[in-house]
Amino acid sequence: MMTELSLNVLDVAQNSVKAGATLIEISVLADTAKDRLVIIIKDNGCGMTAEQVSRVTDPFYTTRTTRKVGLGVPFYKFAAESTGGSFSIHSEVGVGTTVTAEFVISHIDRMPLGDMTETMRSLITLNGNIDFLYRYKVDDREFTLDTREFREVLGGIPFDNPEVSEYIKEYLKENKEETDCGVVL
Amino acid sequence: MKSLEELKAIRERMQGQVGLREEDDTVTRVVVGMATCGIAAGARPVLTAFAEGVQEKGIKNVMVTQTGCIGLCKYEPIVEVIQPGKEKVTYIKVTPEKAKEIIDQHLIRGQVVSEYTIK
């Protein structure tokens, strides 16, 4: 079981990486007045058939061959639904997949969001050939990180270059603080 | 808000420097398992510890990368150290503290930390 929602995000986004996505969009949208936190993970990977989508929340279904269980998506679904929220997957072969999870912020069983900064930095630096569009919104304040902009500025310098990696971390950290003003989700 | 100007400054500093390439046969690879089992067991802070440790100590020719599940979920977080011309070393149940030791002993001094390897 995961201890933070940001770990679920890291895990579920790995499916997008394996699906051959070239762009992965991750949105964390909190509305404190409505008491809702919505996390959307959208990719342009290979997508799934309707049959695969119907089985993807079954923990005993997996396409991997190293073990017989696939717990990532079921964990995430349970984390959302146990708060009174919702979970859905929309996918189309050749187009991509969108995973949407909605959480009731004040519910006692809601996991903390956790360290999204480290989740995004890990995803970006480990998958230098994939672009990420990260959006973090709390009520009416928000920021985005678009690796396509970074790539344009950097030329051929990779995201796992230590200085670039540190910049990405600071960019995420500073903008997060300005967006949520220290509110811990 | 952090500006893209700082990123431009990094590019100017880095221009002309050649980065590591995976196919380079002098590169040591540190591979962290990042499937559900690994992440749930704490792979993310381990990965960060390796990436930051390698940077802090200024170790050259080391690349920190990820892999999926290798089927030994109960031993996660698993870290493999693959050095050119040497047998692969598999560390199990790694923590950020153990990662620091592995960096100091194995990556810098070349001594395998055998108490953390798979038996």
Side-chain angles (χ1 to χ4, degrees), chain A residues 11 119 121 163 167 178, chain B residues 1 3 13 36 44 52:
Chain A
D11 186 26
T119 282
R121 181 167 76 145
E163 279 197 50
Y167 173 87
E178 282 179 28
Chain B
M1 187 163 287
S3 74
R13 276 204 301 279
T36 308
R44 192 184 63 187
E52 290 186 346

Side-chain angles (χ1 to χ4, degrees), chain A residues 4 6 11 14 66-67 115 118-119 121 126-127 150 153 157 161-163 167 169-171 175 178, chain B residues 1-4 6-8 11 13-14 34-36 39 44 47-48 52 55 66 69 71 73:
Chain A
E4 302 176 356
S6 67
D11 186 26
Q14 298 284 11
T66 52
R67 55 173 148 80
D115 197 344
E118 268 315 310
T119 282
R121 181 167 76 145
L126 288 171
N127 302 287
F150 287 8
V153 173
I157 300 164
N161 172 289
E163 279 197 50
Y167 173 87
K169 180 183 172 184
E170 290 301 318
Y171 184 96
N175 287 321
E178 282 179 28
Chain B
M1 187 163 287
K2 228 168 159 54
S3 74
L4 291 175
E6 291 174 54
L7 205 55
K8 283 181 190 161
R11 183 188 64 185
R13 276 204 301 279
M14 292 292 147
M34 293 285 279
T36 308
I39 294 169
R44 192 184 63 187
L47 180 95
T48 305
E52 290 186 346
Q55 183 188 346
Q66 65 172 345
C69 173
C73 308

Side-chain angles (χ1 to χ4, degrees), chain A residues 57-76:
Chain A
T57 57
D58 173 358
F60 299 103
Y61 175 75
T62 181
T63 53
R64 77 175 79 241
T65 53
T66 52
R67 55 173 148 80
K68 291 176 180 168
V69 291
L71 295 172
V73 171
F75 273 170
Y76 192 39

Side-chain angles (χ1 to χ4, degrees), chain B residues 36-89:
Chain B
T36 308
C37 44
I39 294 169
R44 192 184 63 187
V46 168
L47 180 95
T48 305
F50 272 106
E52 290 186 346
V54 166
Q55 183 188 346
E56 274 166 26
K57 308 267 177 179
I59 309 168
K60 302 290 176 203
N61 283 356
V62 171
M63 178 176 264
V64 182
T65 60
Q66 65 172 345
T67 188
C69 173
I70 60 168
L72 299 169
C73 308
K74 69 176 180 176
Y75 295 120
E76 293 283 358
I78 293 173
V79 176
E80 296 174 332
V81 176
I82 304 159
Q83 289 180 301
K86 291 184 183 170
E87 206 172 322
K88 177 176 77 182
V89 177

Side-chain angles (χ1 to χ4, degrees), chain A residues 20 25-26 92 110 135 143 184:
Chain A
E25 299 175 45
I26 297 175
E92 205 178 320
R110 185 184 64 86
R135 183 171 171 226
F143 85 92
V184 178

